[in-house]
Amino acid sequence: MIIAIDGPTASGKGTIAKALAGHFALPHLDTGLLYRAVGRQVQLVGGNPDDAHVALAACEFPDSLLDDEILRSEEVGGYASRVSVHPPVRRALYERQRAFALQEGGAVLDGRDIGTVIAPEAQVKLFVTASTAERARRRWLEMTGRGIAADLAVIEADIAARDERDMKRADAPLMAAPGAVVLDTTTLGRDEAIAAAIKEVETYRA
């Protein structure tokens, strides 16, 4: 069983994906980390993430970079959004994601184009979303909880800009896949959102 989970940043898709992977004993891939690693590699070499050639070269990042906590930072997230608009970058990372999705026994993948591009044949497709204000609040709480100074208004503006880029890019724009169940987590707590997602998967399995 392949479970594809798409959605914008801070919608809760990663939390839900990990919970589903644990509940159904499936391997999980946060595909956004791949793009964050590319963005971070561009940052490390002092390159321009808006330059397609620079971004493509950064796809050769070392695997060890995937374990770096800095990939979760807002700054690297911004770089990831900018490098992801380049079709050559998306093509370079496609096979890696595709192989993970098609492994024997199935998998859970979360990102922005899983149900539309990476695994359109997924048996379960979820599109997890939430209001911009709520997503900004969650990210602000996460950052301040880790002792990182953060401005809520700046975070909300950054999320809005990232959504704009992700939804309007020419290649694999952020959107709900055909047949996907839309799960709005704006008013849901963590456990409620996970329970709702598990229910959707259980419905398919029934």
Side-chain angles (χ1 to χ4, degrees):
M1 175 175 62
I2 302 174
I3 302 176
I5 304 177
D6 293 307
T9 187
S11 60
K13 67 181 183 294
T15 297
I16 289 172
K18 289 177 186 175
L20 290 179
H23 187 84
F24 295 103
L26 292 169
H28 166 241
L29 176 64
D30 174 358
T31 65
L33 271 186
L34 301 178
Y35 289 96
R36 283 175 176 264
V38 174
R40 175 59 174 163
Q41 185 66 19
V42 169
Q43 187 181 40
L44 287 172
V45 300
N48 178 3
D50 299 319
D51 185 318
H53 296 291
V54 171
L56 181 59
C59 289
E60 298 299 321
F61 63 83
D63 287 344
S64 59
L65 191 56
L66 291 170
D67 297 321
D68 194 332
E69 278 300 311
I70 200 170
L71 296 188
R72 302 289 183 181
S73 71
E74 282 299 294
E75 186 176 10
V76 172
Y79 268 75
S81 180
R82 290 164 69 183
V83 300
S84 70
V85 304
H86 304 304
V89 171
R90 306 197 71 82
R91 286 195 295 271
L93 298 179
Y94 171 83
E95 291 300 336
R96 187 170 185 168
Q97 298 170 77
R98 183 75 178 152
F100 191 92
L102 295 180
Q103 64 184 290
E104 186 176 353
V108 179
L109 295 88
D110 72 269
R112 287 170 173 74
D113 63 350
I114 309 304
T116 54
V117 176
I118 303 302
E121 72 275 55
Q123 288 83 5
V124 179
K125 299 177 185 178
L126 299 177
F127 188 83
V128 183
T129 189
S131 70
T132 304
E134 174 59 18
R135 288 186 286 129
R137 187 188 72 85
R138 292 173 184 172
R139 186 52 54 84
W140 179 81
L141 287 173
E142 176 190 339
M143 294 177 70
T144 54
R146 299 204 314 259
I148 302 172
D151 185 308
L152 181 58
V154 171
I155 292 175
E156 185 167 348
D158 178 65
I159 284 177
R162 200 177 303 180
D163 288 349
E164 181 81 1
R165 282 195 300 270
D166 292 344
M167 291 187 291
K168 291 192 174 181
R169 65 188 178 217
D171 189 42
L174 170 65
M175 61 184 289
V181 173
V182 177
L183 179 57
D184 190 328
T185 67
T186 302
T187 61
L188 299 180
R190 178 182 181 279
D191 292 345
E192 291 176 304
I194 291 172
I198 289 176
K199 182 179 179 181
E200 291 299 335
V201 178
E202 298 268 2
T203 298
Y204 159 74
R205 297 182 79 193

